[in-house]
Amino acid sequence: MTGWLGQAYPWIKSVHVIFVIFWMAGLFMLPRFLVYWMAAPTEAENRLWAERCGRLRRIILTPGLIVAWAAGLSLAFHLGFAGNGWLHAKLAIVVALSGYHGWAVAASKRFAASERPYSEKTLRLLNEVPSLVTIAVVILVIVKPF
């Protein structure tokens, strides 16, 4: 394999895919947790949901985001950016997904503070964002339409 990663390329690509799966699993779970958390009527239940979401952020979401980005950028520099429009589109989508990640984390912290700034319907709709992103990214990476 040519490029600056050399023979490490398949290993870095494997790490990237593994941590993208972790990150996406967390992004599927956190908004769903918020939907369930809406019905937590007692302070004790509120604390339990805050703890669950905190663990999800610390153990799955944040490490997934960091390693997926680090490995992904390594792969992007290995491939080169010139003439890879699909890669530019993928990066734009992943930047937007990182913003969604930030929103979800901030929302969980607001819930932990006993705020409920979103309706259940809004949370259910926003829970679909990772699915749409997954579809778009997989098509871009596999089909490379441009």
Side-chain angles (χ1 to χ4, degrees):
M1 200 79 315
T2 60
W4 76 278
L5 289 175
Q7 299 216 6
Y9 176 80
W11 289 101
I12 300 299
K13 191 173 185 179
S14 297
V15 166
H16 178 64
V17 171
I18 290 164
F19 279 86
V20 165
I21 291 169
F22 292 164
W23 184 31
M24 294 303 294
L27 289 176
F28 280 117
M29 289 173 66
L30 188 57
R32 178 58 50 189
F33 277 13
L34 297 179
V35 169
Y36 297 147
W37 199 349
M38 291 285 283
T42 67
E43 186 58 36
E45 288 175 314
N46 194 58
R47 280 194 307 275
L48 279 173
W49 280 109
E51 185 181 321
R52 289 175 187 138
C53 288
R55 281 194 310 251
L56 179 64
R57 289 190 318 260
R58 283 188 314 277
I59 297 168
I60 298 173
L61 271 173
T62 301
L65 168 85
I66 292 168
V67 177
W69 263 103
L73 287 173
S74 296
L75 294 168
F77 283 107
H78 175 84
L79 292 172
F81 291 93
N84 288 317
W86 66 271
L87 180 57
H88 296 212
K90 178 189 173 195
L91 284 170
I93 291 169
V94 173
V95 166
L97 184 65
S98 297
Y100 174 82
H101 172 117
W103 167 83
V105 166
S108 72
K109 289 179 179 179
R110 290 181 75 181
F111 272 55
S114 297
E115 297 176 33
R116 300 295 185 268
Y118 307 102
S119 71
E120 184 177 331
K121 182 179 180 179
T122 299
L123 292 171
R124 288 182 187 278
L125 286 171
L126 288 170
N127 193 46
E128 301 307 320
V129 169
S131 301
L132 298 173
V133 167
T134 299
I135 292 166
V137 168
V138 167
I139 291 170
L140 285 168
V141 171
I142 302 298
V143 178
K144 294 181 174 86
F146 45 87

